[in-house]
């Protein structure tokens, strides 16, 4: 049967068919839907771990005991998990371990666009790279087979475009997961599994030997193939770039790589021998190109195609024309003068509790060290109330450093609940231990909202839909030793402002939990508010809270009833009492 | 089998993704190789949503190439105009007569282009431009959120194929209690399309 699936749905389906029985991940665009989908298959275990390193350790444990494990993460999650990636490369496992890593060229939803193919080489583990949903499905089984045969973790690299594109997948009417040939059991073998220096020294040669064997396998695996064409241009390509290249170079000879590390030197030489010119087409870094050049083959690549951003067929065509690889079209579409169209940046949702927090921070002119999540939108105008944001968990360490160097003046850290559980706890302990004086604000909406409402330790349920104990952030802070801890509803605006002021004046380190459930998750909707234009003095306060239903009109503002969810925050901050609930006479009611 | 490339553009929350899910599934059921691509993640927060759907004998790229879209379906006027560079002189453009002002317009920092400005700009690429009263028709049926299905009906009036396939896919993909209303929305859209393209 043929079915349309996204790359991520296909990874989940492939994982189920391959008999993956334990899966762990921390949500991160564009990887999140893999586990969301996988968890729905029967007989599997899947969890949202608190961060990517924890997830990888969970997968490693399952694989140590002979299970088949899947761990998924976005590219920057691999940075968090890297410590574990390097030891598992040395120890190997008893069972199978597949890591799906989602890169984000063009940074659709990320802070950088690092090319994680380097991790395969760095950690000396094989990496596969499928090019559509069908290949995504098949890649999990192929990766597991390599993992179990060569005693190595295997990384599958996807990108946003593959993960979030839909294409046809062959499905089975009644899919049956492959079962393990032997029961799970942990075999005690310290020389293999305890990486003290003496044992690690014994493992490194095993790793190097494994890479040589994998390089031999790369020559014959069905994952890599030469697609014959004419003898002018030989294209080396992998992943979704293959699809673009196929459109731009329909007649070329292709070396289509499904395995991007280690690379098949023999196949590369064979291709080079067949054609006049080798062209490497790869998004981001010249990973394959450098390898090909080191072999002494004068390949072209990054001299033609950019190393920034994702590719598309039009871009490849233009670059190839400029380089003379293909002829320019006889008649091109006339260039259009593009008018200035107003942009449409994402913004905090109507009713989002973060709005109360950031408006309060703006009012007290705080210097805000932020973190990664929906609340990073608090940096955008007109709120403009976040001044640094680097990576998950950075805020608390950064504010501590800023304060220690002597800047402390209305400095705060703002971190979301999920990000706090991910990598905020250790820096919070550090802040307290090292006699810090900073104020940490946890923007707590009880769910991992940015990636689509995944449960976290503050939610009260797990990915498997089971109830679980809620970690209370205020109690955790008190347990660390913080004496000044407050829990505030950010829509109780006066209390929010007063609490921030109070904490800013304090000499001791402190924590504020700004707690308000995500409105998209809770889906609570009250009647939309209306504006009494007679009372409105056009001060513009309500426009400064960046709430999309509020629009400037002649003589005041109006509120779009279809978008407003009735949170009432605009009425709270309106000094004129011009915003309220509609009354029967068509006026407003406070 | 002729290739057909569609672009759908709208604002997060407008149902652009559901409509493109329907369109790619229709392609599959009509026997095409079919692919779809969109970038989401921020879309729920009121950002732009663009969805590429491609039908063909064999489809490689999941994204449409600039200048090669056969159809542009705009769920929102300004968003339609943003994708003008994907059009050529044979492209057909269907635009929902509906505006959602972006933040800079709400704040009075920029102005929203007029309907005529948007139509003129898109028409620099193609003469086949059509306004569709998608939101108005959906509103008459009781739910403006069905504007996307009205647009699909208007698109069907141009693309053709077995109507059963379109209706069956709508039945599969919309929530059960809204199936009948959505079928009505599709039919109204088709009628609108037939009356205005003739």
């Amino acid at each position: 049967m043929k079915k349309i699936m996204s790359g991520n749905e296909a990874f989940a389906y492939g994982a189920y068919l391959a008999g993956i029985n334990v899966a762990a991940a921390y949500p991160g665009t564009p990887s999140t839907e893999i586990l969301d989908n996988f968890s729905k298959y029967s007989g599997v275990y899947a969890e949202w771990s608190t961060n990517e390193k924890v997830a990888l350790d969970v997968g490693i444990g399952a694989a140590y005991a002979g299970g088949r494990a899947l761990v998924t993460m976005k590219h920057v999650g691999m940075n968090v998990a890297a410590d574990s990636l390097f030891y598992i490369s040395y120890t190997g496992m008893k069972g199978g371990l597949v890591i799906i890593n989602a890169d984000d060229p063009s940074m659709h939803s990320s802070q950088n666009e690092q090319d994680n193919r380097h991790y395969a080489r760095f950690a000396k583990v094989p990496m596969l790279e499928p090019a559509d949903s069908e290949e995504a499905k098949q890649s999990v089984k192929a990766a597991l087979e390599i993992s179990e045969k060569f005693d190595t973790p295997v990384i599958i690299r996807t990108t946003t475009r593959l993960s979030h594109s839909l294409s046809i997948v062959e499905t089975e009417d009644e899919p049956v997961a492959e079962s393990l040939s032997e029961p799970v059991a942990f075999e005690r073998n310290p020389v293999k599994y305890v990486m003290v220096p003496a044992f690690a020294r014994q493992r490194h040669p095993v790793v190097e030997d494994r890479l040589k064997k994998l390089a031999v396998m790369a020559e014959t695996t069905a994952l890599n193939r030469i697609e014959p064409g004419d003898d002018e241009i030989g294209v080396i390509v992998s992943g979704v770039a293959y699809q673009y290249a196929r459109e731009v170079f329909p007649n070329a000879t292709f070396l289509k790589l499904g395995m991007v590390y280690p690379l098949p030197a023999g196949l590369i030489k064979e291709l080079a021998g067949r054609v006049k010119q080798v062209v490497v087409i790869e998004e981001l870094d010249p990973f394959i190109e450098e390898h090909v050049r080191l072999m002494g083959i004068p390949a072209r690549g990054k001299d033609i195609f950019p190393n920034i951003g994702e590719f598309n067929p039009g871009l490849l065509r233009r670059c190839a024309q400029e380089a003379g690889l293909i002829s320019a079209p006889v008649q091109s579409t006339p260039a259009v003068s593009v008018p200035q169209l107003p942009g449409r940046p994402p913004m905090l949702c109507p009713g989002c509790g973060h709005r109360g927090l950031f408006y309060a921070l703006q009012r007290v002119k705080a210097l805000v060290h932020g973190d990664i999540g929906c609340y990073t939108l608090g940096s955008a105008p007109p709120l403009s109330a976040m001044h640094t944001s680097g990576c998950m968990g950075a805020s608390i360490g950064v504010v501590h450093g800023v304060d220690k160097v002597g800047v402390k003046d209305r400095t705060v850290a703002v971190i979301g609940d999920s990000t706090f559980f991910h990598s905020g706890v250790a820096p919070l302990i550090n802040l307290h231990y090292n006699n810090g004086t900073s104020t940490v604000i946890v923007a707590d909406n009880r769910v991992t909202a940015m990636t689509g409402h995944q449960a976290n330790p503050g939610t009260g349920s797990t990915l498997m839909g089971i109830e679980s104990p809620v970690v209370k952030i205020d109690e955790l802070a008190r347990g660390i030793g913080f004496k000044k801890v407050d829990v505030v509803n950010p829509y109780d605006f006066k209390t929010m402002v007063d609490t921030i002021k109070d904490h800013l004046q304090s000499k001791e380190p402190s924590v504020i939990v700004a707690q308000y459930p995500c409105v998209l998750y809770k889906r609570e909707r009250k009647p939309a508010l209306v504006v009494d234009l007679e009372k409105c003095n056009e001060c513009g306060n309500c426009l400064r809270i960046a709430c999309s239903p509020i629009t400037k009109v002649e003589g005041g503002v109006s509120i779009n009833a279809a978008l407003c969810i009735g949170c009432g925050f605009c009425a709270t901050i309106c000094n004129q009492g011009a915003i309220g609930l509609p009354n029967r006479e068509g006026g407003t009611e406070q | 089998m002729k290739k057909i490339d569609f672009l759908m553009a709208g604002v997060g929350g407008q149902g652009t993704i559901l409509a493109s899910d329907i369109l790619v599934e229709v392609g599959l059921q009509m026997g095409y190789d079919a692919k779809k691509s969109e970038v989401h993640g921020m879309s729920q927060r009121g950002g732009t949503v663009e969805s590429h759907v491609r039908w063909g004998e064999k489809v490689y790229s999941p994204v449409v190439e600039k200048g090669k879209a056969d159809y542009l379906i705009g769920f929102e006027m300004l968003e339609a105009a943003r994708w003008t560079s994907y059009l050529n002189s044979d492209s057909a453009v269907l635009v929902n007569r509906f505006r959602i002002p972006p933040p800079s317009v709400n704040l009075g920092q920029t102005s929203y282009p007029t309907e005529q400005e948007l139509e003129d700009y898109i028409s620099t690429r193609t003469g086949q431009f059509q306004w569709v009263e998608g939101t108005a028709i959906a509103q008459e049926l009781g739910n403006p959120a069905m504007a996307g299905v009205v647009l699909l009906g208007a698109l069907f009036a141009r693309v053709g194929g077995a109507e059963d396939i379109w209706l069956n896919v709508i039945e599969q993909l919309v929530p059960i209690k809204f199936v009948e209303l959505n079928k009505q929305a599709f039919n109204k859209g088709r009628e609108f399309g037939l009356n205005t393209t003739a």
Side-chain angles (χ1 to χ4, degrees):
Chain A
M1 205 180 123
K2 284 180 170 166
K3 219 179 148 195
I4 294 266
M5 283 191 194
S6 71
N8 282 350
E9 286 174 290
F11 280 126
Y13 182 58
Y16 172 71
L17 291 179
I20 296 280
N21 41 23
V22 168
Y26 181 78
T29 311
S31 69
T32 315
E33 301 86 359
I34 304 172
L35 236 63
D36 270 335
N37 282 288
F38 178 74
S39 68
K40 292 173 189 148
Y41 289 101
S42 64
V44 302
Y45 175 77
E47 71 171 39
W48 294 124
S49 303
T50 44
N51 69 35
E52 294 86 352
K53 184 202 172 352
V54 175
L56 184 49
D57 290 331
V58 169
I60 288 169
Y64 272 170
R68 287 186 172 138
L70 172 71
V71 180
T72 72
M73 60 194 66
K74 70 180 294 175
H75 61 319
V76 286
M78 186 65 96
N79 301 337
V80 178
D83 219 357
S84 298
L85 177 69
F86 282 75
Y87 82 72
I88 188 61
S89 172
Y90 269 38
T91 65
M93 310 80 51
K94 182 185 171 205
L97 176 64
V98 177
I99 301 163
I100 303 180
N101 161 95
D103 283 8
D104 188 18
S106 281
M107 297 169 273
H108 296 288
S109 198
S110 305
Q111 70 266 40
N112 74 15
E113 54 179 349
Q114 66 189 45
D115 186 335
N116 274 11
R117 291 178 299 175
H118 296 295
Y119 269 114
R121 190 170 166 210
F122 197 7
K124 301 175 191 276
V125 298
M127 178 178 269
L128 311 188
E129 187 171 24
D132 61 21
S133 296
E134 174 63 27
E135 288 188 16
K137 178 197 82 178
Q138 294 174 8
S139 70
V140 184
K141 189 176 177 197
L144 256 186
E145 283 169 1
I146 295 168
S147 176
E148 291 175 359
K149 183 173 176 193
F150 292 88
D151 193 17
T152 177
V154 177
I155 305 172
I156 299 174
R157 180 197 189 223
T158 175
T159 56
T160 305
R161 200 52 75 173
L162 174 63
S163 282
H164 287 176
S165 288
L166 279 68
S167 62
I168 295 170
V169 171
E170 287 291 342
T171 61
E172 292 157 34
D173 291 337
E174 284 176 39
V176 181
E178 280 191 18
S179 51
L180 290 170
S181 50
E182 45 188 306
V184 293
F186 185 84
E187 286 163 12
R188 296 176 192 210
N189 184 354
V191 180
K192 181 166 159 59
Y193 294 125
V194 180
M195 286 303 94
V196 292
F199 295 159
R201 283 183 205 114
Q202 293 178 47
R203 291 301 299 176
H204 190 183
V206 176
V207 172
E208 298 298 339
D209 183 55
R210 184 179 74 204
L211 264 189
K212 284 185 190 137
K213 288 176 179 151
L214 285 162
V216 171
M217 185 274 283
E219 304 289 354
T220 53
T221 172
L223 295 163
N224 297 330
R225 63 170 187 262
I226 288 182
E227 297 176 357
D230 65 29
D231 62 0
E232 289 295 322
I233 291 173
V235 174
I236 305 178
V237 67
S238 67
V240 76
Y242 166 78
Q243 311 294 355
Y244 308 145
R246 262 287 162 214
E247 301 213 348
V248 178
F249 300 96
N251 304 317
T253 299
F254 272 64
L255 171 56
K256 197 273 187 196
L257 297 172
M259 179 167 171
V260 292
Y261 193 78
L263 286 161
L267 286 174
I268 292 167
K269 275 184 204 142
E270 189 185 332
L271 178 84
R274 285 189 188 201
V275 297
K276 291 176 186 151
Q277 185 166 206
V278 172
V279 178
V280 183
I281 300 177
E282 53 192 330
E283 288 177 327
L284 302 179
D285 295 341
F287 182 83
I288 298 170
E289 181 186 346
E290 284 177 357
H291 185 95
V292 173
R293 284 166 175 265
L294 277 174
M295 289 170 61
I297 296 167
R300 300 194 69 183
K302 291 299 165 188
D303 60 322
I304 304 172
F305 307 106
N307 61 356
I308 295 170
E310 69 175 338
F311 289 170
N312 58 63
L315 173 80
L316 291 191
R317 196 180 303 281
R318 202 184 68 234
C319 293
Q321 280 164 359
E322 282 168 8
L325 296 178
I326 56 173
S327 52
V330 183
Q331 83 186 101
S332 60
T333 326
V336 186
S337 67
V338 183
Q340 275 292 326
L341 299 175
R344 197 183 293 277
M347 56 200 293
L348 294 174
C349 303
C352 176
H354 297 327
R355 181 170 285 108
L357 170 62
F358 284 106
Y359 193 57
L361 288 165
Q362 189 204 63
R363 281 284 183 87
V364 305
K365 299 189 167 57
L367 173 61
V368 180
H369 299 288
D371 228 294
I372 306 282
C374 292
Y375 51 94
T376 314
L377 294 171
S379 63
L383 287 169
S384 307
M386 185 179 290
H387 310 99
T388 65
S389 170
C391 75
M392 294 288 287
S395 59
I396 302 175
V398 169
V399 77
H400 180 56
V402 167
D403 288 347
K404 281 286 177 189
V405 82
V407 170
K408 185 170 170 64
D409 174 23
R410 289 171 286 180
T411 45
V412 298
V414 170
I415 183 168
D417 49 334
S418 191
T419 311
F420 177 73
F421 295 126
H422 177 283
S423 46
V425 181
L428 191 70
I429 293 172
N430 178 70
L431 171 67
H432 189 267
Y433 165 61
N434 285 303
N435 303 305
T437 53
S438 309
T439 296
V440 173
I441 302 175
V442 182
D444 183 9
N445 62 6
R446 316 309 296 162
V447 75
T448 310
M450 185 86 226
T451 45
H453 303 115
Q454 288 72 33
N456 71 41
T459 307
S461 62
T462 71
L463 176 57
M464 302 300 286
I466 296 165
E467 208 177 304
S468 73
V470 173
V471 176
K472 293 191 174 125
I473 295 168
D474 54 325
E475 288 181 12
L476 179 64
R478 288 196 185 92
I480 290 169
F482 284 83
K483 305 257 181 336
K484 196 170 178 60
V485 179
D486 284 300
V487 180
V488 187
N489 174 357
Y491 274 164
D492 179 354
F493 191 60
K494 186 174 180 313
T495 312
M496 187 77 246
V497 172
D498 290 347
T499 307
I500 293 173
K501 282 183 179 165
D502 173 44
H503 280 243
L504 289 180
Q505 282 156 7
S506 168
K507 295 273 185 283
E508 62 176 321
S510 66
V511 173
I512 302 172
V513 181
Q515 200 171 65
Y516 192 87
C518 172
V519 286
L520 286 182
Y521 189 55
K522 231 177 114 196
R523 294 198 172 274
E524 193 180 68
R525 206 176 175 126
K526 296 178 210 154
L529 281 85
V530 293
V531 182
D532 183 345
L533 285 179
E534 285 179 13
K535 289 185 187 167
C536 176
N537 68 347
E538 298 187 69
C539 71
N541 268 355
C542 59
L543 292 169
R544 279 178 217 117
I545 62 173
C547 193
S548 61
I550 307 176
T551 309
K552 192 169 166 48
V553 294
E554 190 66 36
V557 296
S558 90
I559 296 175
N560 182 335
L563 298 174
C564 176
I565 74 145
C567 72
F569 184 60
C570 52
T572 307
I573 54 106
C574 176
N575 297 326
Q576 302 300 310
I579 304 177
L581 291 169
N583 64 22
R584 287 201 194 93
E585 287 76 44
T588 59
E589 215 166 69
Q590 293 306 305
Chain B
M1 236 172 192
K2 193 176 150 282
K3 75 100 192 166
I4 310 183
D5 287 351
F6 306 88
L7 261 183
M8 296 182 143
V11 176
Q14 276 200 293
T16 317
I17 289 176
L18 172 65
S20 60
D21 277 340
I22 291 170
L23 191 58
V24 71
E25 183 68 29
V26 167
L28 169 70
Q29 296 200 13
M30 282 169 72
Y32 285 99
D33 187 9
K35 286 189 180 178
K36 169 182 127 142
S37 183
E38 75 228 341
V39 169
H40 43 85
M42 304 292 272
S43 54
Q44 211 165 19
R45 279 105 199 138
T48 63
V49 181
E50 108 263 10
S51 195
H52 304 237
V53 175
R54 307 192 68 206
W55 298 354
E57 180 84 34
K58 165 76 189 163
V59 176
Y60 286 106
S61 167
V63 294
V64 175
E65 188 169 338
K66 269 188 188 170
K68 295 198 174 176
D70 297 293
Y71 294 93
L72 168 62
I73 301 105
F75 285 55
E76 198 272 349
M77 293 156 44
L78 177 61
E79 293 314 311
R82 237 184 264 289
W83 300 92
T84 300
S85 62
Y86 280 74
L87 304 174
N88 58 56
S89 55
D90 295 324
S91 307
V93 181
L94 306 173
V95 181
N96 185 21
R97 200 192 293 273
F98 185 64
R99 59 167 72 191
I100 302 176
S104 58
V105 173
N106 284 344
L107 293 172
Q109 295 164 344
T110 55
S111 58
Y112 195 103
T114 64
E115 285 182 20
Q116 195 59 49
E117 282 169 346
L118 292 171
E119 181 175 342
D120 288 349
Y121 170 46
I122 295 173
S123 299
T124 54
R125 276 289 170 97
T126 172
Q128 300 181 68
F129 180 94
Q130 187 192 351
W131 290 109
V132 180
E133 305 298 341
T135 301
I137 291 170
Q139 180 86 57
E140 273 170 37
L141 290 169
N143 186 355
M146 294 189 306
V149 177
V150 177
L151 286 167
L152 284 177
L155 179 66
F156 168 69
R158 287 175 179 259
V159 176
E163 190 174 356
D164 281 357
I165 292 180
W166 291 73
L167 289 172
N168 286 342
V169 173
I170 289 170
E171 193 167 331
Q172 284 166 30
L173 294 183
V174 304
I176 279 178
K177 58 180 177 176
F178 299 123
V179 165
E180 282 314 310
L181 259 184
N182 274 283
K183 284 184 174 175
Q184 284 178 36
F186 181 80
N187 280 323
K188 291 272 185 193
R190 187 200 55 179
E191 283 167 24
F192 185 94
L194 289 174
N195 292 337
T196 47
T197 47

